[in-house]
Amino acid sequence: MTLTYIISGFAVGTLVGLTGVGGGSLMTPLLTLLFGVSPAVAVGTDLAFASITKATGTFTHRLRGTVEWYVVRLLCCGALPAALLATLALKQFGGLSQELGQIIRYSIAGSVFLTVIAILYRSKLIAWINAHPERQLRGQRLAVATITAGAILGVLVTISSIGAGAIGATILVLLYPKMPAAHVAGTDIAYAVPLTAIAAIGHWWLGSINWELLGSLLLGSVPGITLGSLAAKAVPEKLLRGILATTLTLVACKLVL
């Protein structure tokens, strides 16, 4: 199974490198559906996986100067406490019980559907925001909205390991429509590092991380992300996002049926 895990990590890493989204949305359901990993362990392992891979991405974006650190701090003000509270709630509800596993399974499905919506309608949402500049938040209201969004993402990511990518980036685009695309990607990755790290530590405390599985996934994902990033300009983005959205929809349907 180790080779299969490495191949899976490579495949997901390549897709993430190509599209910029889909890591948690694909990895967690893949572990649950294809390999029979329990939902709680799949979430915990994927969070540890994400924290390591996103740390590498943050380093690269920092060198390029494409991280808006003020926005990162606002997001973390909401996301990190929310992640801690969500972890305590998971502990209170019984750790790895069957009932909790079912809750996490439906949480994963819901998060996947949100990711699909974010992928398919991101351009329309951006166009609407740009067409109605009077609706754009500014000043203190914008800061409060950013912290609130971070809190929502903190809970979502801790419970399902999904949301920091496509959903987080879409929220950033809606709140900060003038932010360059590269800065959106860099900021989204940067805030996700401490969030996924804290959530991963929480799942380690709950005993829901498979370290051998994590190592195998990382062996495949690192070269996969590199290859995907190099090939990204050669493949039409619209085609890639269509494939990703279709795949995620099928995965979400399978999770709830």
Side-chain angles (χ1 to χ4, degrees):
M1 289 295 290
T2 300
L3 179 59
T4 307
Y5 291 144
I6 293 174
I7 294 173
S8 299
F10 178 82
V12 172
T14 302
L15 188 56
V16 172
L18 285 168
T19 65
V21 298
S25 304
L26 288 175
M27 183 60 73
T28 303
L30 182 68
L31 293 175
T32 304
L33 297 175
L34 187 59
F35 300 123
V37 177
S38 69
V41 173
V43 169
T45 304
D46 182 57
L47 284 169
F49 169 83
S51 65
I52 295 172
T53 55
K54 288 178 183 293
T56 303
T58 299
F59 179 75
T60 302
H61 279 280
R62 182 177 182 179
L63 291 178
R64 294 180 175 179
T66 53
V67 177
E68 300 288 345
W69 292 108
Y70 171 71
V71 179
V72 171
R73 287 192 291 271
L74 290 176
L75 287 170
C76 287
C77 283
L80 303 189
L84 290 173
L85 291 175
T87 300
L88 292 175
L90 289 175
K91 182 68 173 179
Q92 182 66 31
F93 285 121
L96 302 178
S97 65
Q98 182 177 358
E99 292 78 10
L100 179 60
Q102 193 66 22
I103 292 173
I104 294 177
R105 185 182 180 91
Y106 285 118
S107 174
I108 293 171
S111 299
V112 170
F113 277 125
L114 286 175
T115 304
V116 171
I117 293 172
I119 292 170
L120 293 178
Y121 295 101
R122 180 177 175 180
S123 60
K124 292 183 178 180
L125 290 172
I126 296 172
W128 186 87
I129 288 292
N130 289 331
H132 299 82
E134 73 281 358
R135 300 292 181 90
Q136 296 179 18
L137 299 177
R138 293 178 176 83
Q140 186 175 3
R141 293 178 62 190
L142 178 58
V144 171
T146 304
I147 294 172
T148 303
I152 295 172
L153 287 169
V155 173
L156 189 64
V157 171
T158 302
I159 294 176
S160 69
S161 82
I162 299 169
I167 300 174
T170 300
I171 289 176
L172 283 175
V173 170
L174 293 178
L175 293 178
Y176 301 90
K178 295 182 180 180
M179 184 183 294
H183 289 237
V184 170
T187 303
D188 186 45
I189 291 173
Y191 98 87
V193 173
L195 170 57
T196 53
I198 286 181
I201 291 171
H203 279 270
W204 169 71
W205 178 50
L206 295 172
S208 52
I209 293 181
N210 186 324
W211 297 103
E212 182 180 355
L213 171 60
L214 173 62
S216 299
L217 293 174
L218 289 173
L219 282 176
S221 68
V222 172
I225 290 173
T226 303
L227 178 63
S229 300
L230 293 174
K233 292 184 178 180
V235 182
E237 181 180 351
K238 186 175 182 180
L239 174 62
L240 286 173
R241 291 190 177 275
I243 294 173
L244 182 58
T246 301
T247 302
L248 294 180
T249 301
L250 294 175
V251 167
C253 292
K254 179 64 177 178
L255 282 168
V256 298
L257 295 178

